[in-house]
Amino acid sequence: LEPAGLALGRALALAPNDSRANHAMALFQLRISDRAAAEPYFAQAVDTDNDNDNFSARNDFGGYLCQSGRMEEGLAQFDRALRNPYNDRLYISQLGAGACHVRILNWKEAEGYFFLALVGRPKLALALYQMAEVTFAQADHLRTRAYLQRFFDTGAASAASLSLAVRNELKLKSSDLVQLHANRLKTEFPQSTEASNIARVMAKSNG
C-alpha cells in the first residue's frame, strides 16, 4: 500500500484541490483503516464542484458519514449525487441513501430508494435483497417472499438471504418452503453463523 500512498501524495502536491485525487486519497485512508484522516480528503473532493461534480465521491462520502452516525449529512451527500444530471449510476446513490435510512430503522424511506434502484435495474440483486429485508422488518411477509424469489432467480444466494427466507416462511407457516431454504442453507453454507442459528430455530419450532 505504501507506493500507492506515495503516488497519491505526489498527485495532491501537484494539484491539492483536484477532486479525483482527494477522493482517491480518502478511499486509501479508509483502506488502511484511518477513518479520521479520510474525512478532510472527502470534504475537499466534494467541495471542488465543477460542471459535472464528483458524484462518485459524494456517494462514498455519504456512506462514510452514515456509517459514522451522521445521517443527515450523509443523506445530503446522496441527495446532491442524485440531483446531478451527469450521474449515470443513480442506483448506487439510491442504494446508499436507502442503506442510510435502514441504519435509523426508517423502513418506508429506505424502501422508496431501493424501489427506485429496481426501477432502473429490475434484476439488481443487492436492491432485491434490501427490499426483502425492509419488507420483512415491516411484517409484509408475502412481499418479502416475492423479493427473495426474485433475488434467488438472479442466481445470487448467501447465508443471510437463506436465513431470511427461512424466518419469513416460518412467519407464513409454509413448512415445505421452510425446509427447502433451511436445507439449502445447511448444504451451501454449513459453517455459517446463520446455519447454526437457523438449526436452533428449527429445533425449537419442531420441539
Side-chain angles (χ1 to χ4, degrees), residues 32-119:
I32 62 173
S33 302
D34 194 342
R35 292 184 63 81
E39 183 163 349
Y41 292 110
F42 272 132
Q44 185 60 45
V46 301
D47 187 55
T48 313
D49 285 1
N50 51 42
D51 286 343
N52 62 357
D53 199 356
N54 191 340
F55 58 84
S56 181
R58 291 197 182 278
N59 287 334
D60 289 330
F61 193 23
Y64 165 90
L65 290 166
C66 288
Q67 290 164 18
S68 302
R70 295 153 64 184
M71 305 304 175
E72 188 173 343
E73 295 173 77
L75 288 168
Q77 292 298 327
F78 288 122
D79 183 63
R80 284 289 298 272
L82 285 165
R83 289 189 286 111
N84 185 331
Y86 295 94
N87 187 347
D88 57 356
R89 295 186 294 278
L90 288 172
Y91 71 95
I92 296 176
S93 307
Q94 290 155 347
L95 287 172
C100 199
H101 280 291
V102 166
R103 285 180 173 272
I104 53 176
L105 310 184
N106 194 343
W107 306 121
K108 280 297 183 187
E109 288 292 333
E111 183 178 340
Y113 282 109
F114 297 144
F115 178 81
L116 287 173
L118 287 171
V119 169

